[in-house]
Amino acid sequence: MSVANLYQQIVLDHHRAPRHYGALLQATHNAVGHNPLCGDHVRIELRIDEDVLRDISFSGESCAITTATASMMSERVIGLRREQIETLFVDFDASLRAGPGASASGDLGDLGELEALGELRRYPARLKCALLPWATLLAAWDKHPSITTETAESPTP
Amino acid sequence: MSAIIRSTAVAEFDVQRYRADFPALQRQVHGKPLVYFDNANTAQKPLGVIEAVDGYYRRHNANVSRAVHTLGSEATALYEATRDKLRAFINAPSRDEVIFTRGTTESINLVAYSWALPRLQPGDEILLTQMEHHANIVPWQLVCERTGAKIKVAPISASGELLLDQLDALLTPHVKLLALTHVSNVLGTVNPIARITAMARARGIPVLVDGSQAAPHLRIDVQALGCDFYAITGHKMFGPTGTGMLWAKRAILDSMPPFMGGGEMIKQVTFDKTIFNELPYKFEAGTPNIAGVIGLGAAIDYINALGIETIRAVENDLLGYATEQLNTIPGMRIFGTAPGKAAVISFLIEGVHAHDLATILDTDGVAVRSGHHCAHPLMQFFGVAATARASLAFYNTRDEIDIFITALLRARNMLL
């Protein structure tokens, strides 16, 4: 097993230069997700207009896996409705368990760069790191101010 | 740091001979030899411990104290022999003061519920320190919620040492208990317990010492330490998980009601009333972890045969070498630099998250802990969410430290 497959260039690129990082002007929703296992936290801000996610940003203190996930996720979810994001989350979760190349179930196309994180199936202790941004996004949408990985082990519609 | 110079005793220590006693140290992880640097989390077990557990189930399996047949007598004798070994290990005045528990957490909870809960009142205080781990924080919070008492926290310095003058000033008449760790699981700091108990005793304040991290590294003498309660856990001192001990002075134990009801803690039961057994059985409800306790006895035998002074000397040498090597890595920050600290090194490399580090190290066969080490308040003190931690045991080697350093550099290069 080569750990370089997990920390491949695309993941490291998002870790070093995260997209959509920082505060969001005119945010309508926000939430903070905590990973009690390690003390990490990620804050997600959303601008939702007519039930569509118009913009997103994230910030906080997190490992490369969480940061890269949040960055890739942010690029992927703009323009989607809540149920579409939830479907992506389910697909993403499935790809983490099945590995890269798992097909997307909906009509949203593939997971894009997020597929790079499918290597996490070899690192079960790190799964929560990648699920946290998604769970936090959905919590923000649902106006829950905070969420922890202990309640976000699997997609919870 | 003079880690390059080694004492003759340390230089002559035949580590390979002892490593052979630990089956887990022979295995590979991801095709590489295991480098186990997570000893403060739990230590590996020598064959003697594994065989003691195995032997109990193979030959003696019977309940303790209540069976009159041969197997029952054998099991009881083996089980009680560990109590004697523990008594000697901590130099307790009496074997009756040695209470078996499932570990430090249960030991501290026993004191919290059985001693503190009936005594504390609104306005009372429990004094803790900034370096406590959750097992020595949460039980007191639960007691405070139910009694109206409050927790106070003694501060530490940037190097991770207790500020004794401030601790002294905090020992006011409101304080009903001082509860602190002997050795920090994050910083490695060895607290001067005897000095601290003297300060507390002068004001009539009892002291509980959490000895989970001290037991594998230091000679423990509860009489010389002058404490009132001492808690240890078996699995960090090469014994089985789910074993541990609470020691307390007899007068204190006599004054405490039982913690849990049932089993051997009973002398006589009618539906109206129960007469509790004598110490130590009053606090040992139900069928205990007999095999585990017997294994713990074997762990004490192992430590005694090796000699705690030898362990301390070898670990000091490894600590010095590891610290020196770590400090050559750019961006290295070590948390806890108290003189005389135990062989625990918490660290971060600037720009690298501890979890990523631990994952990459694991693929090189190197096991370290990453996270908050169940010491959130301490992480907050240092302003970090998590650290990586390498905690060493006598069976580790300088060669392993070299592998660790190479792996760290690889991880750093990969992530930065």
Side-chain angles (χ1 to χ4, degrees), chain B residues 134-389:
Chain B
H134 298 165
N136 198 26
I137 300 173
V138 179
W140 308 118
Q141 287 174 336
L142 294 172
V143 164
C144 286
E145 274 172 23
R146 289 168 66 169
T147 60
K150 287 204 161 53
I151 285 172
K152 282 199 305 194
V153 181
I156 61 173
S157 70
S159 64
E161 291 173 90
L162 276 175
L163 297 167
L164 292 185
D165 287 350
Q166 297 198 37
L167 176 79
D168 192 51
L170 287 167
L171 288 167
T172 63
H174 295 294
V175 175
K176 295 296 178 276
L177 179 74
L178 166 61
L180 81 167
T181 190
H182 197 164
V183 175
S184 163
N185 69 319
V186 177
L187 309 169
T189 308
V190 181
N191 286 319
I193 299 296
R195 277 182 68 188
I196 292 167
T197 55
M199 285 155 51
R201 207 167 39 240
R203 294 166 177 80
I205 298 168
V207 179
L208 177 145
V209 179
D210 172 352
S212 0
Q213 297 293 347
H217 309 292
L218 302 179
R219 183 166 297 286
I220 297 164
D221 181 336
V222 292
Q223 298 186 67
L225 291 172
C227 56
D228 299 272
F229 303 95
Y230 199 96
I232 64 175
T233 196
H235 72 99
K236 294 183 200 287
M237 51 188 284
F238 318 108
T241 59
T243 63
M245 174 212 78
L246 172 71
W247 170 82
K249 290 176 176 166
R250 180 191 291 272
I252 296 175
L253 290 171
D254 279 337
S255 75
M256 290 161 55
F259 178 37
M260 291 185 285
E264 202 51 44
M265 49 80 71
I266 299 305
K267 197 174 229 175
Q268 187 189 342
V269 180
T270 68
F271 281 108
D272 294 329
K273 185 179 168 189
T274 296
I275 301 171
F276 301 122
N277 207 337
E278 291 101 21
L279 288 173
Y281 308 106
K282 179 170 110 177
F283 293 104
E284 294 178 359
T287 296
N289 181 1
I290 304 168
V293 165
I294 292 169
L296 177 57
I300 294 169
D301 292 341
Y302 193 90
I303 291 174
N304 288 341
L306 179 53
I308 198 90
E309 276 76 20
T310 303
I311 290 175
R312 185 93 171 111
V314 169
E315 289 176 352
N316 271 345
D317 177 69
L318 292 171
L319 173 68
Y321 182 67
T323 305
E324 228 173 42
Q325 296 301 308
L326 282 170
N327 279 327
T328 64
I329 295 176
M332 174 60 58
R333 180 182 175 195
I334 292 177
F335 300 84
T337 50
K341 68 180 254 191
V344 172
I345 313 173
S346 283
F347 64 95
L348 280 177
I349 298 174
E350 200 184 336
V352 179
H353 192 283
H355 267 16
D356 299 316
L357 208 56
T359 294
I360 296 170
L361 290 185
D362 178 59
T363 60
D364 278 334
V366 181
V368 297
R369 174 110 191 247
S370 64
H372 49 61
H373 317 293
C374 298
H376 266 148
L378 188 54
M379 296 291 109
Q380 283 154 15
F381 174 80
F382 284 110
V384 295
T387 68
R389 180 185 70 184

